[in-house]
Amino acid sequence: MVRNVSAVISEIEQAEKILVCGHIMPDGDCISSVLSLYRGLSSLGKKVTPAVDWKIPSIYMGFPHTDKLVCYSPDLELPDLMIIVDSSSPDRIGGFQRVLKTHVRTVLIDHHKTNTYFGNVNWVSPNYSSTAQMVFRLMQVMDVNFDEELALLNYLGIATDTGFFRYSNVNSTVFEDVACLVKYGADPAYVARVILENKKLEEFYLERDALDNLKVSCSGKFAYSFLEKRNFDRYGLSEDEFSGFVSQLRSISTVEVALFASESFKGEAHVSLRSKSYFDVSEVAKAFGGGGHERAAGFTLTYDNDLQEALEEVIEYISERLEER
Ligand code: 5GP
Ligand code: MN
Ligand code: MN
């Protein structure tokens, strides 16, 4: 067994009260990893609190136990151990960063290349498709019993972080592990339906607006677009409720790098970056204070005036590096 995995298990064994914490702007991998550990470690007799310091996007509410997820509160009863999943740096866990300043032991389980190793024990492995896959391996070693519900929760993260088994992070171990989860009762068609076929009509209107803002440059290699707060307001949707547009941009045949920015409120936008085969977008995200993977990364952009104006610097940064190749 990998040394870090033994260290993770030893921390878990020594703890009674465990807080399992995911990242802000949660995605499927985050919710899956938090809730799988919640279910799995509870079944071993631990007192587990699942936590994400953010509003949970409504599509995930179709999964069990999402109602148990707690946000940060100053009244939080400190656990013996905080397990942080799918989070590359302290800012990603929102208010739970405060727990890092206490005596509470911390374990990181993560697959981001840009991880800053901020836990007492850090099991960080970019070779894994998803944190959910690491959680699967961990719970197998710990002899956790996988029922249908746990299998479904665990499957969710592997499916979503691999773009439903399409991305370059897919290898044979992914299929081996999800084959086990499907045997245990996870329903791939249910997960695909809930995640992929659950769009609000207003999201299509937002996609139309995003298409209006689409620009392609660098001889077709770079596609980018954005949505401003007023676009979301027009259809009464919040930024969290929009599944994004960056993967559509990457699907253009000539495109290597795709960028999509969505304004949460005036002065702040989330920027999503994707690449297709060779450009390392995690380096760009890191340069602007974020992080991620080689083919999928992101960061928060803050600015005084206009989003489009603020994006120019990022666009120039990427274009220069793309033109070099
Ligand atoms: P997305 O574009 O889907 O929000 O994120 C793509 C990847 O980049 C995910 O793996 C996510 O964890 C990472 N990422 C997105 N935004 C941020 C950010 O603000 N900071 C860091 N460190 N990583 C981010
Ligand atoms: Mn994530
Ligand atoms: Mn992930």
Side-chain angles (χ1 to χ4, degrees):
M1 203 193 326
V2 185
R3 190 169 47 89
N4 290 354
V5 181
S6 328
V8 170
I9 294 173
S10 154
E11 292 286 342
I12 292 171
E13 281 170 351
Q14 287 169 56
E16 190 188 318
K17 281 183 288 175
I18 302 177
L19 180 74
V20 182
C21 180
H23 60 77
I24 57 172
M25 294 182 244
D27 53 17
D29 191 25
C30 163
I31 290 169
S32 161
S33 301
V34 171
L35 291 179
S36 299
L37 281 170
Y38 162 68
R39 271 296 316 275
L41 299 183
S42 297
S43 76
L44 298 179
K46 304 293 178 186
K47 192 171 173 290
V48 189
T49 306
V52 169
D53 197 18
W54 202 267
K55 185 175 175 286
I56 305 301
S58 55
I59 53 162
Y60 299 110
M61 296 313 246
F63 289 92
H65 304 295
T66 39
D67 57 319
K68 315 262 183 355
L69 290 162
V70 301
C71 284
Y72 179 78
S73 138
D75 307 327
L76 174 83
E77 188 194 341
L78 286 181
D80 306 318
L81 175 68
M82 173 158 72
I83 303 179
I84 299 167
V85 293
D86 202 38
S87 305
S88 52
S89 50
D91 55 297
R92 297 287 287 157
I93 61 173
F96 292 101
Q97 277 174 86
R98 293 189 184 90
V99 180
L100 299 173
K101 300 198 175 73
T102 68
H103 64 275
V104 172
R105 297 278 301 170
T106 52
V107 161
L108 297 191
I109 305 177
D110 187 32
H111 69 131
H112 288 94
K113 187 182 160 191
T114 54
N115 195 290
T116 61
Y117 292 77
F118 57 100
N120 297 117
V121 170
N122 302 285
W123 179 30
V124 176
S125 187
N127 296 328
Y128 282 95
S129 64
S130 50
T131 303
Q133 198 189 356
M134 301 172 77
V135 166
F136 172 76
R137 292 289 177 96
L138 173 72
M139 296 203 298
Q140 289 285 85
V141 176
M142 294 186 80
D143 274 332
V144 168
N145 174 51
F146 277 75
D147 60 10
E148 209 173 285
E149 191 181 83
L150 177 55
L152 175 77
L153 285 169
N154 204 157
Y155 177 93
L156 166 68
I158 305 178
T160 52
D161 251 28
T162 57
F164 289 81
F165 314 104
R166 285 179 300 140
Y167 299 156
S168 57
N169 57 357
V170 176
N171 56 26
S172 60
T173 73
V174 169
F175 289 108
E176 282 157 14
D177 292 351
V178 299
C180 289
L181 290 169
V182 173
K183 270 187 219 144
Y184 296 147
D187 181 352
Y190 175 79
V191 176
R193 198 167 67 237
V194 172
I195 300 297
L196 302 173
E197 298 175 350
N198 206 0
K199 272 195 191 165
K200 295 191 171 84
L201 187 58
E202 289 80 2
E203 287 193 66
F204 285 85
Y205 301 149
L206 282 168
E207 288 187 5
R208 182 178 57 195
D209 290 1
L211 265 184
D212 285 340
N213 293 336
L214 166 65
K215 289 212 172 62
V216 179
S217 67
C218 299
S219 322
K221 284 186 287 189
F222 184 23
Y224 54 92
S225 181
F226 63 90
L227 286 174
E228 290 172 313
K229 176 79 169 67
R230 62 187 172 86
N231 298 100
F232 294 100
D233 289 347
R234 187 179 302 150
Y235 310 116
L237 276 196
S238 68
E239 188 228 339
D240 296 347
E241 288 172 296
F242 181 51
S243 49
F245 198 58
V246 74
S247 49
Q248 286 92 320
L249 296 176
R250 178 169 59 180
S251 74
I252 300 168
S253 65
T254 56
V255 164
E256 170 59 23
V257 179
L259 175 154
F260 182 70
S262 42
E263 191 171 57
S264 334
F265 49 86
K266 210 78 213 134
E268 190 176 304
H270 181 73
V271 179
S272 286
L273 298 166
R274 299 290 184 272
S275 63
K276 204 179 263 162
S277 59
Y278 58 84
F279 192 93
D280 186 353
V281 287
S282 75
E283 290 297 328
V284 179
K286 220 163 63 180
F288 288 90
H293 314 281
E294 283 182 17
R295 303 282 166 264
F299 64 94
T300 299
L301 185 67
T302 52
Y303 43 91
D304 294 328
N305 301 313
D306 183 57
L307 170 61
Q308 278 194 71
E309 203 181 300
L311 276 174
E312 273 167 30
E313 190 193 343
V314 187
I315 288 161
E316 203 170 306
Y317 187 94
I318 294 171
S319 304
E320 273 171 15
R321 278 154 187 80
L322 252 177
E323 300 284 18
E324 274 170 19
R325 305 218 19 149

